[in-house]
Amino acid sequence: MPHRIFELTQAHYPDPLVDYSSTEFVLEFQDAAQLLQKWRNPHLGRSSREGTILGLASQARASSDAIKNKILTTMLSAELEEEYIDKLNVYKFMLDRTLPEALELVNLDKLLTPEDIEEFIRKHLGLMEDEYGRKLLTATMLLDDLHEITDIEIKDKFGRTRRVSRNDVLDVIGNILGNILLRQVSLWTVDDVISRPRGRFHLKKTYRAAIMRENSIPPSKISHEDIRVIDKDRLGIIYFIVDMSQSMNKQVFKDGLTRLDGALLTALGLFYYFKLFNRRKRREFDSFKMHIVPVTKNPYVISDTKKFENFLFDAEGKGKTRLVHATNVAIKHATENYKDNNYDVQIVYLTDGRPNVPFDGSIPGLKSNFLKEYFKNNMDTKTPKAAQECMIQLNQIFNYLHRGRERNWNISYFLMAGESFRATGLFKDTKEMLGSVTAPIIIDPTEIDNLGKRILKEAILSDR
């Protein structure tokens, strides 16, 4: 916070880039949630950016008044008096020119982040030094203070305070959440070979299996059941389809966190979980590839860290729920980028409602009349016609993937709601939409620290 800049001394924070893996600083899931919220806040609301500038203005005005009072009431040496006059010039320049222009640019949405504000002030103070014809020490010190604005303060579970650079926030949160998931969930054991009659032979394991079967050395023959091949099938591509509609802005967590915050934290945790898991396996190739698909007006696939960082920073709940569009994007991405059928595909949905924008275009598979008849005969249904069409389209896609023989497609459908939701018509409609492919899984959105664990256990592990 700007008004606390003078309180954050070198004595308090000898090293702002702390080791967050240290046992002396313990962050929990809720701490990570607060850190993500602070990281996202400057971009999400103009008021926070205005507050940064107004805080600087208040600080500059108070410092200017204090210096004027000191000059008028205290006997000063010529050298010290000159230094104070330099400070007055800096604060006057800031109050008269720099900060008013910065505030105007914030209102025009041309300065979106604290980094933008800092860079603007840095250039302005450079103009001031050109105007005075010399470098002013106070301007340099003020820029050092501005750097503190771009750092974020966080407390651990024991109330100890640290600061983390904004550039490192995602790595800090991601590693926290990823390690929490690693502790909560143990993935199934991945052996280096499997028993099946096709693939690249593992000669030693095949020979050993024959010995164990016949209980003799050497075995008289290698039978069909003895064959062991390199396990290439335990490779997974995960597409996490995250609802970004207006309804996701509903506050359900303490400290004002929304359903969208919970979804973003879950996406971040899973993203880093698989990075940590792949690193621990130390294979030549990654066992899992994680992708995020935001349900926006124009859904897209996020697969690299930079795009994911931009998504988390800009994410906001607005618009309708285009689940069919996001599904189509995920399928197209998998078929075009992972032509090796050894990769199984897991599509995970996280939504708090029903799809409501039909897809205008060709959809894989054949349309089933079953769901159409279900809505036609169910006179009590409150599902709008557009949502009915979306569910029919998703049902067509799910059945197509379920029957596909080229690769394994797995579907997991999570609904963010309480247990009472099972008695609603929407839950029944969703269950009919999923048919025999899978069943909807209800996740309580208030259990923020369990979302990632539930998704891993019910979506990723259940089919293995």
Side-chain angles (χ1 to χ4, degrees), residues 204-245:
K204 289 184 178 180
K205 295 294 179 71
T206 299
Y207 188 70
R208 185 177 300 169
I211 293 174
M212 296 296 293
R213 178 181 54 79
E214 291 191 352
N215 199 25
S216 65
I217 302 177
S220 60
K221 64 176 182 178
I222 304 294
S223 70
H224 186 78
E225 64 195 73
D226 299 328
I227 295 176
R228 300 291 185 270
V229 299
I230 302 297
D231 181 4
K232 293 177 64 180
D233 282 353
R234 290 183 185 266
L235 303 174
I237 312 166
I238 300 100
Y239 291 92
F240 187 35
I241 298 180
V242 183
D243 190 349
M244 302 284 292
S245 61

Side-chain angles (χ1 to χ4, degrees), residues 57-74 84 87-89 91-92 95:
S58 176
Q59 174 187 310
R61 188 172 293 108
S63 299
S64 178
D65 291 342
I67 291 172
K68 287 178 182 177
N69 184 60
K70 193 150 191 172
I71 292 175
L72 292 173
T73 60
T74 308
Y84 279 142
K87 288 184 178 182
L88 278 177
N89 289 333
Y91 289 130
K92 186 176 185 300
L95 291 168

Side-chain angles (χ1 to χ4, degrees), residues 266-320:
T266 302
L268 182 59
L270 292 173
F271 194 82
Y272 270 79
Y273 171 84
F274 287 112
K275 285 177 67 174
L276 293 170
F277 177 80
N278 289 331
R279 195 180 305 157
R280 289 190 176 189
K281 287 299 174 184
R282 296 181 180 177
R283 291 187 168 190
E284 294 180 2
F285 48 85
D286 289 341
S287 298
F288 297 96
K289 298 181 183 296
M290 179 75 186
H291 305 290
I292 313 295
V293 185
V295 181
T296 58
K297 187 174 182 179
N298 297 300
Y300 59 99
V301 176
I302 300 169
S303 53
D304 63 81
T305 304
K306 186 60 181 175
K307 281 182 71 175
F308 189 42
E309 178 179 340
N310 293 336
F311 158 68
L312 288 176
F313 195 66
D314 296 329
E316 56 180 318
K318 63 179 181 179
K320 298 185 177 181

